[in-house]
Amino acid sequence: MSPWGTAKSADFRGPLDVARAATVVLDAQDTVIGWSRTAEELFGYAQDEIIGKPLDTFLPSRQSSGLTEADEAGAPLSGGEIRVAHHSDGRSLLVATAVSSLPGSGTAAHVLVATALESLRLWESRLALLQGLATQSPVGLGIYDTELRLTWCNAAYELEIGLPFAEFRGLRADELYSEGSFLTEGYPNTLDSVMNQVLDTGEPIVDLHFRGRPPSDPDVEHLWSCSYYRLQDADGHVFGVCEDAFDITDRYEAQKRLALLVEAGRGIGTVLDVMVTAEEIAEVAVPEFADAVTVDLVEEVVEGGVLGAGGPAGGALVRVASRSAPAKGPAGPGGPGESGGPVESEKTDPPSPVDYPPGSPQMRSLSSGGLVLADDTLVVPLRAGGSPLGLVTFRRAPWATFDNGEIALADELAARTAVSIDNARRYSRERAASLALQRQLLPRHLPQQTAVDLAYRYLPTDDVTGVGGDWFDVIALSGTRVGLVVGDVVGHGLQAAATMGRLRTTVRALAQLDLPPDELLRRLDDLVGQSAEDLMDAVGPPIEPREDDATGATCLYAVYDPVSRRCTMARAGHLPPAIVDPEGRLSYPDLPAGPPLGLGGLPFESKELELPVGSLIALFTDGLVETRGRDIDQGLNTLGRVLGDPGRSLEELCDRTLSELLPYGTTADDTALLLVRTRELDPGHVAHWELPAEPVAVGHARELATGQLREWDLEELTFSTELVVSELVTNAVRHAEGPLQLRLIRDRTLLCEVADAGHTSPHLRHSEEEDEGGRGLFIVAQLVHRWGTRYTESGKTIWTEQVFPSAE
């Protein structure tokens, strides 16, 4: 029996029901002898006004009533017809009538039943509505009595159960769905409890999500949106509960897939790391999408190597991520939708090789380059630009296979993961190259200096590559002096770093010539300008500004001498240093600005300062003190306040400076900071003599040097030092002008210096057998660790360094 058959057998009475329609009793001559209250309401005649009157008083015969075309048609309705009646107030009514003869021999011969046509149309529409709900509606409707037993249902409900209505009529809801649960929180745990609540309170429950297995499909969970409301008549008598339920399983699964894609967008590729990205897809997919996930990548991908277009050979895959949920059963505790324990992730660091046998889903995917579905296993390749990156394997319980929508979802997850993994691979390659470049361009560590204590910080704007256009350097110079450098190249990233590297290398090379700071910057400016001209001659003017163009670079170069405590500085468009004396007083020396490097034709000037021992010199780039939300004066004031604490170490001052000026650890411009605290060389470690430019000075110089070595307990260096002093003083007497100066310095090495008023430099050369001279400087070079020449305004100085015997 169909649900509609059940509904049809119920007492659905129509509009001509005598209990509700107007009823008129007629005799054999169609005279009114009975008149109901409903007839009085319909036609407007009181009972005492119409009794004894003929029927045509309110219902004219067809020949005299002027019936409409529709009325002439006499449209039948349950044995009746549609006619025009007259109301007592003169207006016409369109009514449906039916006449029934009365048996027997009494006065009453007929009963006429009438109702207004509006009521007829309403009844017809309600009848059609009931028929549609019973047979056509996709929403399952069920009516339960007050004992919560099913008394009626529509066709959709019957189809959901999968049985004829007669076989489950009278059952309770919890008997129909023995296994079920609510996804909506805040309601009782069973369907019976929910309906009891509705019966007791009269408050309907709308859009309650119920998950269970219907008898028609016991192996698959369904999800319904259910609503419950109490049924009662006009007198308030409660006679049951109505349930409507709509299967939203497909919509719910689609929403889950969409939510999973949204989660994948948030959770996959959060960092540029191949291993982390592989773990992220496993975390997203388990347990929401699959019971287990493994990610295998081509070994070159993990190492950040270059990929080929062909597939990986056997053994070329490595396992980088694995995640699984506890085993589930098809029903009962631990079944689908229930967690039997925590999700487990297998650590794969370092990645372990994997080798799939021929014919396995993974090997088939590798060979074809496409996804492979084998029962409960789905293998999806990871590819980027036609090159294989690896595989993702999704596994489920045998009874929970992947449908077409889920296969498409797995493909989308793999595609997003492949993009993120390839980006991470490219980043790893570029970062490795960048870090290698950085190691070459910036000092990995600064050696200890006799002249100064130092600390430094470097923050590139480009935190992806880790390099930028700012740089700093500390260069050991002859005579225990030290060169201090800070510079800034316009731009960021690799191009700016490459330009910075060229400038830093050039500065180091020029510094070894012991040039004064202004002269060094002049030569550096000439080389930068010459490089730009050579480039233009070779390739023509650039269409767009080149990021690696050194024009606009700035530089500050300073030389500090711990013997004299004098610091000479010059700058090329760079900010002046901050100097804090031992008492904490801050000053910014008024150095001539000088033009940025590469402009050419403008002079540079040096300034010399005498600094107390323990003075702090801060060299920095503008990224430290100037930001979008703070002007440079505010930044300089903050820097001075931080550096004005003489009790803190240089490392503490570096950290405090960055925390005050760059509180978020990032900057819109590259930042370099170099802090140095000056020292003074112990006067007892310096010996200085002035000698005449005469041959007798050679022997005297040897005696002075020998005596000083004896005083310093360095007798082991006596022979080599006597030879060095003799040769250098002899050359000065022969080829230069006086007066001569001899200086010995005991530092980390033994320094010997001979200064004269000449500007010609000696040359190291190989002498022929017949040459009478020219071998002395060659012999000196073989005895010492280093030697060189530096020039001053008054002449030149030849210097040598010898390593102490204990350090050899």
Side-chain angles (χ1 to χ4, degrees), residues 564-622:
S564 64
R565 293 184 289 104
R566 291 186 174 274
C567 184
T568 306
M569 308 176 184
R571 60 184 180 128
H574 201 86
L575 291 173
I579 298 180
V580 181
D581 66 18
E583 303 301 323
R585 292 184 291 268
L586 171 74
S587 65
Y588 291 96
D590 185 17
L591 298 181
L597 298 173
L599 297 183
L602 297 175
F604 298 95
E605 298 181 39
S606 294
K607 185 169 185 177
E608 186 176 81
L609 303 173
E610 184 173 346
L611 302 178
V613 176
S615 295
L616 175 66
I617 307 174
L619 292 82
F620 52 90
T621 56
D622 57 1

Side-chain angles (χ1 to χ4, degrees), residues 296 299 315-319 350-355:
D296 307 316
E299 194 170 11
L317 292 177
V318 292
R319 176 68 47 82
S352 57
V354 291
D355 188 10

Side-chain angles (χ1 to χ4, degrees), residues 438-522:
Q438 182 188 35
R439 284 192 294 269
Q440 297 297 323
L441 299 182
L442 290 176
R444 278 178 278 181
H445 65 277
L446 296 178
Q448 291 184 347
Q449 302 287 335
T450 301
V452 293
D453 294 319
L454 54 91
Y456 55 90
R457 297 292 185 270
Y458 178 73
L459 294 178
T461 301
D462 190 349
D463 56 359
V464 174
T465 61
V467 295
D470 291 8
W471 90 94
F472 63 91
D473 210 345
V474 178
I475 307 169
L477 302 176
S478 65
T480 69
R481 297 170 306 133
V482 63
L484 307 174
V485 190
V486 66
D488 186 352
V489 174
V490 175
H492 311 292
L494 285 175
Q495 296 293 342
T499 302
M500 173 269 286
R502 294 199 301 268
L503 293 178
R504 176 175 178 266
T505 302
T506 303
V507 169
R508 291 189 69 89
L510 293 175
Q512 297 306 317
L513 299 178
D514 276 320
L515 298 174
D518 57 338
E519 178 64 17
L520 184 143
L521 291 181
R522 186 188 66 78

Side-chain angles (χ1 to χ4, degrees), residues 604-680:
F604 298 95
E605 298 181 39
S606 294
K607 185 169 185 177
E608 186 176 81
L609 303 173
E610 184 173 346
L611 302 178
V613 176
S615 295
L616 175 66
I617 307 174
L619 292 82
F620 52 90
T621 56
D622 57 1
L624 179 68
V625 295
E626 186 176 21
T627 64
R628 291 188 180 95
R630 180 186 63 219
D631 62 37
I632 194 168
D633 290 335
Q634 290 178 309
L636 292 174
N637 291 336
T638 302
L639 176 63
R641 175 174 53 81
V642 173
L643 297 180
D645 186 352
R648 294 187 179 272
S649 68
L650 295 181
E651 292 293 337
E652 290 177 319
L653 289 176
C654 279
D655 291 337
R656 285 199 59 194
T657 298
L658 294 186
S659 65
E660 290 278 347
L661 292 171
L662 304 174
Y664 302 107
T666 58
T667 173
D669 195 5
D670 300 330
T671 299
L673 171 65
L674 175 63
L675 299 183
V676 297
R677 184 165 280 142
T678 64
R679 294 177 177 176
E680 181 181 26

